[in-house]
Amino acid sequence: MTLYDADEKTVAKLVAIRGGWGAKQRLREMGVQVGDVVKILNRAPFGGPLAIQSGETVIAIGRHLARRIQVEPKK
Amino acid sequence: MKVALAGQPNCGKSTLFNALVGYRSLTSNFAGTTVSYTRGQARINGNIIDLCDLPGLYSLIPANPAETSSRDSLLEDAWDVIINVVDASQLARSLELTLELSELERPMVVCLNMMDEAARKGMTIDVPELASALGLPVIETIASRGRGIVETMRAAIGLVRKSGTGRSSRPVYPAEIEKPIEDLARWLDRCKAQDHSRAPYEPARLRIESSAAWARNDATSPSTAIAETFVEEIGLRGDGGLPAEETWSRVSPGEPSTHHSSVVLRCFSGCCGTAARQEASSGPAGVLQGLAGSDRIHRASARVRALWLLQSDPGQLAGMDDETAEQVSEALAALPRREGEPPEDVIPAARHAACLRLFEKTVRVNRPRTDWRDRLDGLVMDRLWGYVFLAAVFFTFFHVIFDAGQFAETRILALFDRLTALLAVELNPHSLAFVVGKGGLLGVAGAVGSVLPYLVPFLIGLAVMEDLGYLARIGYLMDSAMHRLGLHGTATLPVILGYGCSVPAVMATRILPSRRDRFVAGFLAILVPCSARMTVIMALVGLYLGANWALAIYGINFAVVALAGVILARIWPEISPGMLMEVPPYRRPNLRSVLLKTWFRLREFVTVATPLLIGGSIVLSAVDYFRLDRWINAGLSPLTGLLGLPAATGLTLIFGVLRKELSLLMLMQALGTTHVAAVMSTTQIVVFTLFVTFYLPCLATAAMMGKELGWKLTAAASGALLLLAIAISVLARFALRL
């Protein structure tokens, strides 16, 4: 399952980030890496970005990038 | 004593800076407010301290030009102390940069800022424990309230006094990671000793040439732009090109060619090799940066370089020789990694883990105090209510600006009318001196009376929304709509600002990462009818033809903006991979910061646009005095004829370039009546208004565009607008006749 398909207000663990060095580096800079647990806060309509919370940081991730992040939903 | 403030974006470096040296550096609740250095002096306990506020950087592997300049300054400039400002409320993430910075082995103080926000989140930080784990002095501060600032500077002074002993300790990776790092570092050290004479090629020129090619849109991608530049400028054609020495002498005439040519060659191949990766992440800026980055390699210590190489920093990989490349791949292979993990992820993952461990060791998180901030995002970012809220905010915002502006405008303009009357008494109303004086006065009245009343409340409102943290959320909500126009959600702001005044709208394009985005957003922003054009639409179409006609003009404008966006996105495709943006926490705006920021931005309008307004107004008064209007109207008759407008409207269109609402005032003067509908037909009124809405940016806007985007692009945009205005007006003329 990708991050983009995850439901709002759920918690998921990032298992893989498919993407170039640049995408991973930019996520890393915002404090998001494989193995982290993030909370999906909101999703903007019409294929807009996703707001997720990782630790104390809230970041907006565009659809294309969110589709390349594999997650495992957590109960 | 020289001190640098370094830290991640939006952690309060500029706030700390301002608290020390007085307001010099723009602050807001938005990542990336500071894009250039700000310097200042402070006096603490009799010590004079030269302080520098560096642009924020997430890590020492830069992602945009502002970050690159920060990193380079940290590497190269002779700082006595680096103050690492850390957002305590986001400690785990912020520590990653702290660990990277401590690798630079320079005297460093950690300033644990925003302690109040950390407390609100229920975090209790064991500061002595953190300090001993990092091996660095750690000071708690709340920069926005001035707390802990003097203590931070005292710690910095203390470090310098101890001279040398205050060096930061190195974070230790697990031994199996340390070994490949140290091996590679030893190799690099050996290379450096051998290669002492090897100076990097001059990247500035290549950077300029290839960005020019990219901007001209000759090349299809940044890597091709660089490649083509090499081919065109240097005559380098793959293997069958010029000999290396000749290549170098063409790049940099008069420089010794021993090693440089091979460096150029390697940079070239290195750039194109990494370009594909970079294109996906940061666009042309990133590729060019990578090129420039290779230039810095030699200034960092061997260990730091080794660390960057093992994280595959494209800026480091470019321009590497074959032997080093082999050593790097050996070291990468030696890194212990999990199943399926790329080797370049090992070091960041280890650092990330170290930060999380450090966080767990030093921070206790209790139940956070919940307040308005936590509940607000549920509403503001909601997929339905978010937009309702957004619409309400904009409605209120523009209503307040319009009401406040109109209130002030009528009073200020009345004052200037009295002054003009006074001038007529003092001077002969038929003398040139009076005409020039009146022109100048009109110019001042235009700036003070017509622009400032709308601009000031607008900038105050903008500053409040910025400091509150709402702007980032607008970007989030509007992202998908803006993508259809080939822009990010972040570009919503300049376009929306365009409804108020094009000048701050163009200024706001600075928040966008690439030149292409800045141009597209700036172009769309000036297409949107600003408050001056709104006056024309309301007072001409609204008054004589009715509100529905005025609404139709807005509708046509909206369609044109959307169409222009789609077309621009087609001819100049978007290259950024989509949004990845930090959503800042809500913060209570601070009155002092809001007012000072408003003044900061206002100053740009005052210095750039006001002289133009006054000068232009004087020139136009002289035109009127020497009765040049007949010639001008005759000269413009092909245009007015094409649009089917009375010839007398020609001069009013020229006045409109000065200030858009002047075209309305001058129209009444030129026609000799305030009952425009008696002289002009419905079609003529609509065509005139449409033309005025689109035809050219006003002088103040053009000046700002020239400053922000360059004069060439400004001229191109103006030409495009003129053609667009003619096309739309002619279309309307014939459509209305049917």
Side-chain angles (χ1 to χ4, degrees), chain B residues 186-527:
Chain B
R186 261 198 300 281
W187 161 263
L188 293 172
D189 249 345
R190 257 203 317 274
C191 287
K192 206 168 178 177
Q194 284 169 2
D195 245 12
H196 206 61
S197 64
R198 199 177 92 173
Y201 76 107
E202 182 204 19
R205 197 177 125 84
L206 290 171
R207 208 161 50 225
I208 293 162
E209 299 286 353
S210 42
S211 33
W214 172 246
R216 280 200 310 269
N217 211 13
D218 292 350
T220 46
S221 74
S223 54
T224 349
I226 293 171
E228 281 173 4
T229 305
F230 272 93
V231 171
E232 269 174 41
E233 297 291 320
I234 315 167
L236 188 79
R237 287 172 208 287
D239 294 326
L242 289 168
E245 282 71 23
E246 180 129 354
T247 308
W248 174 253
S249 70
R250 288 209 193 179
V251 178
S252 188
E255 293 277 316
S257 70
T258 12
H259 290 288
H260 307 114
S261 52
S262 56
V263 176
V264 174
L265 282 164
R266 275 198 302 275
C267 283
F268 174 46
S269 57
C271 277
C272 292
T274 51
R277 267 194 300 210
Q278 283 248 333
E279 250 165 44
S281 60
S282 44
V287 180
L288 299 172
Q289 236 169 277
L291 201 58
S294 64
D295 189 32
R296 315 284 184 197
I297 289 174
H298 298 266
R299 319 231 169 128
S301 78
R303 182 186 156 90
V304 170
R305 243 191 98 193
L307 276 168
W308 287 340
L309 282 169
L310 293 178
Q311 293 172 66
S312 296
D313 175 4
Q316 303 296 321
L317 292 175
M320 195 166 46
D321 60 55
D322 297 340
E323 277 175 280
T324 308
E326 207 171 292
Q327 293 287 328
V328 171
S329 36
E330 259 175 46
L332 277 173
L335 287 172
R337 57 198 164 108
R338 283 170 304 188
E339 183 73 22
E341 187 183 33
E344 69 263 26
D345 285 2
V346 172
I347 288 174
R351 197 168 49 227
H352 191 57
C355 287
L356 293 179
R357 272 200 306 277
L358 199 55
F359 181 83
E360 271 162 29
K361 208 162 103 187
T362 54
V363 180
R364 241 187 26 250
V365 185
N366 302 318
R367 225 161 62 87
R369 263 178 269 156
T370 53
D371 64 7
W372 55 279
R373 294 167 233 238
D374 303 288
R375 268 168 249 132
L376 202 54
D377 262 341
L379 167 75
V380 165
M381 292 172 79
D382 186 80
R383 50 190 313 160
L384 171 66
W385 293 110
Y387 293 91
V388 174
F389 186 77
L390 181 67
V393 166
F394 276 129
F395 182 78
T396 317
F397 188 40
F398 284 106
H399 221 59
V400 167
I401 290 167
F402 192 70
D403 292 348
Q406 224 174 16
F407 178 84
E409 186 181 8
T410 45
R411 277 155 189 79
I412 293 170
L413 287 186
L415 186 75
F416 274 97
D417 278 346
R418 279 220 297 277
L419 279 177
T420 315
L422 216 66
L423 198 69
V425 174
E426 290 295 317
L427 298 167
N428 175 6
H430 299 292
S431 68
L432 182 62
F434 171 73
V435 169
V436 169
K438 190 185 156 199
L441 214 54
L442 266 177
V444 177
V448 178
S450 302
V451 182
L452 292 189
Y454 297 98
L455 200 57
V456 172
F458 180 77
L459 290 178
I460 291 177
L462 179 66
V464 169
M465 291 214 285
E466 240 180 52
D467 284 7
L468 199 62
Y470 189 54
L471 284 191
R473 283 154 177 97
I474 297 179
Y476 169 81
L477 288 171
M478 297 303 291
D479 187 57
S480 74
M482 293 309 279
H483 269 292
R484 312 254 146 110
L485 306 184
L487 285 171
H488 270 315
T490 329
T492 320
L493 176 73
V495 177
I496 299 279
L497 295 194
Y499 279 99
C501 175
S502 307
V503 176
V506 171
M507 231 190 278
T509 57
R510 228 179 273 173
I511 58 170
L512 301 172
S514 77
R515 202 172 142 78
R516 177 236 172 241
D517 288 3
R518 282 196 292 273
F519 176 74
V520 174
F523 188 78
L524 297 184
I526 58 172
L527 271 180

Side-chain angles (χ1 to χ4, degrees), chain B residues 41-103:
Chain B
Q41 273 193 344
R43 189 183 269 273
I44 306 282
N45 294 355
N47 295 281
I48 293 178
I49 294 169
D50 286 304
L51 209 60
C52 183
D53 182 22
L54 296 175
L57 72 174
Y58 280 110
S59 86
L60 287 182
I61 297 179
N64 63 44
E67 283 192 15
T68 310
S69 74
S70 263
R71 183 190 71 172
D72 291 348
S73 168
L74 286 170
L75 281 181
E76 289 162 24
D77 294 340
W79 304 115
D80 294 307
V81 183
I82 293 171
I83 294 182
N84 173 215
V85 184
V86 165
D87 176 356
S89 69
Q90 309 207 39
L91 191 63
R93 187 195 79 183
S94 310
L95 283 174
E96 302 215 10
L97 179 66
T98 306
L99 293 188
E100 274 194 281
L101 284 173
S102 65
E103 290 278 0

Side-chain angles (χ1 to χ4, degrees), chain B residues 539-556:
Chain B
L540 209 55
V541 176
L543 189 66
Y544 295 112
L545 306 177
N548 285 346
W549 281 94
L551 218 57
I553 301 249
Y554 269 92
I556 292 171

Side-chain angles (χ1 to χ4, degrees), chain A residues 21 29 36 56-58 60 62, chain B residues 90 121 311 352 579 581 583:
Chain A
W21 182 87
E29 288 172 350
D36 289 351
E56 299 297 336
T57 314
V58 178
Chain B
Q90 309 207 39
K121 284 184 173 170
Q311 293 172 66
H352 191 57
M579 171 173 273
M581 172 189 78
V583 180

